[in-house]
């Protein structure tokens, strides 16, 4: 409510202008209005109530002190002149009463003019920048690129088993486990019965089934997947993992 910095500044401006107004016509009347404007401008932000209270208070106090001192000095001057002229009575009490009454009247007048100035000051300052700013808009959601890669979802079937290059891959070349599975798979393919292998039977198609069940493979050797027809067909180059599925799991 009380902005003492603004009140102090308004008080000083009003008092100085009121003193100058003793010599400049109408400036004494404008002093509380200008002082109130200064207070209102310093408060700003649309705070009209604060500006009215602080502007009126600063101007009222300035008017009270200005009038009190002025009337006392004037009374002292008149008293001195009266004594010089031979008057022997006392004018002190009359001067004091006049000073107090004048100061109270001045306080009320300056207070009213000061609060008007406070309103004007806030209006001149205007609304705070935040209130005038454009309302914040929600950021546009980032659209998924239309070419986003989908999970390959590679089927484990006879057709893909026959395409797979894993059985000839150097990674499995020294693996007894993989060789054994490969022999059984070849026997299965040569038999008259319908071929229906499970992932455990096949030393390959790891892009579909995930890690190899054989543990004696050597993934440090060169993966053959980039040479496999499945590589291009399912865009495995851009998948995760990009090859060595026997070690790193199925393609995503
Ligand atoms: S997934 Fe790649 S590295 Fe693993 S056996 Fe098959 S071709 Fe070789
Ligand atoms: S991409 Fe690799 S794991 Fe998949 S079928 Fe071809 S060689 Fe086998």
């Amino acid at each position: 409510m009380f902005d003492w910095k603004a009140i102090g500044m308004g008080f000083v401006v009003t008092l100085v202008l009121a003193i100058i107004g003793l010599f400049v016509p109408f400036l004494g009347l404008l002093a509380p209005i200008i002082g109130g404007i200064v207070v209102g401008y310093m408060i700003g932000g649309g705070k009209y109530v604060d500006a009215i209270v602080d502007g009126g208070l600063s101007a009222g106090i300035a008017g009270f002190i200005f009038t009190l001192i002025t009337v006392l000095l004037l009374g002292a001057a008149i008293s001195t002149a009266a004594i010089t002229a031979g008057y022997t009575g006392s004018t002190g009490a009359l001067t004091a009463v006049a000073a107090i009454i004048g100061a109270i009247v001045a306080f009320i007048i300056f207070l009213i003019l000061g609060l008007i100035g406070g309103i004007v000051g806030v209006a001149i300052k205007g609304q705070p920048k935040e209130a005038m700013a454009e309302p914040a808009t929600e950021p546009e959601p980032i659209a998924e690129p239309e070419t986003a890669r989908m999970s390959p979802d590679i089927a484990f079937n006879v057709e893909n088993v026959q395409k797979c290059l894993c059985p000839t891959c150097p990674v499995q070349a020294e693996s007894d486990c993989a060789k054994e599975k490969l022999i059984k798979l070849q026997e299965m393919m040569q038999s008259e019965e319908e071929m229906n292998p499970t992932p455990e039977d096949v030393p390959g198609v790891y892009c579909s089934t995930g890690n190899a069940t054989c543990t004696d493979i050597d993934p440090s050797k060169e993966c053959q997947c980039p040479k496999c027809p499945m590589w291009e067909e399912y865009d495995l180059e851009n998948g995760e993992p990009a090859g060595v599925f026997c070690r790193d799991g199925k393609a995503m």
Side-chain angles (χ1 to χ4, degrees):
M1 173 67 79
F2 295 115
D3 184 335
W4 293 110
K5 192 177 170 189
I7 291 173
M9 184 61 73
F11 170 82
V12 171
V13 169
T14 304
L15 193 59
V16 170
L17 291 178
I19 293 169
I20 299 172
L22 291 172
F23 313 100
V24 179
F26 305 112
L27 185 58
L29 209 58
L30 290 174
I33 297 175
I34 295 171
I37 289 173
V38 170
V39 173
Y41 191 85
M42 287 179 71
I43 292 174
K47 297 177 184 172
Y48 284 100
V49 175
D50 289 3
I52 287 170
V53 173
D54 293 359
L57 194 63
S58 66
I61 293 171
F64 183 91
I65 292 173
F66 167 75
T67 305
L68 187 71
I69 293 173
T70 302
V71 174
L72 286 175
L73 290 175
L74 197 62
I78 293 172
S79 176
T80 303
I83 291 170
T84 305
Y87 179 71
T88 54
S90 172
T91 58
L94 188 63
T95 301
V97 171
I100 291 171
I101 293 174
I104 292 171
V105 172
F107 174 82
I108 295 169
I109 294 172
F110 273 52
L111 183 140
I112 294 170
L113 295 175
L115 67 85
I116 292 171
I119 295 171
V120 174
V122 172
I124 292 172
K125 184 72 175 285
Q127 294 297 316
K129 283 179 182 169
E130 301 85 59
M132 296 170 72
E134 288 287 320
T137 52
E138 288 285 322
E140 288 285 327
I142 299 168
E144 285 284 323
E146 286 182 13
T147 55
R149 184 178 182 278
M150 304 297 287
S151 177
D153 198 16
I154 303 166
F156 178 82
N157 54 30
V158 174
E159 186 186 349
N160 287 342
V161 167
Q162 289 171 336
K163 288 181 190 170
C164 180
L165 298 183
C166 292
T168 61
C169 176
V171 169
Q172 302 190 121
E174 305 298 322
S175 168
D176 293 334
C177 169
K179 284 178 191 167
E180 194 179 318
K181 285 178 189 253
L182 186 58
I183 291 168
K184 284 184 182 173
L185 183 64
Q186 286 169 339
E187 289 173 354
M188 198 186 296
M189 291 170 78
Q190 287 167 0
S191 71
E192 298 292 311
E193 294 174 20
E194 187 186 351
M195 190 175 164
N196 193 18
T198 65
E200 286 73 30
D201 298 328
V202 179
V205 203
Y206 301 122
C207 55
S208 168
T209 60
N211 299 60
T213 52
C214 292
T215 55
D216 54 351
I217 60 174
D218 182 5
S220 66
K221 303 273 176 58
E222 188 186 2
C223 174
Q224 300 301 301
C225 293
K227 299 172 189 169
C228 173
M230 307 271 279
W231 184 260
E232 214 167 302
E233 186 178 342
Y234 290 97
D235 189 25
L236 298 179
E237 185 181 7
N238 296 311
E240 191 64 42
V244 200
F245 305 108
C246 54
R247 180 193 61 194
D248 298 334
K250 66 180 180 179
M252 301 294 287

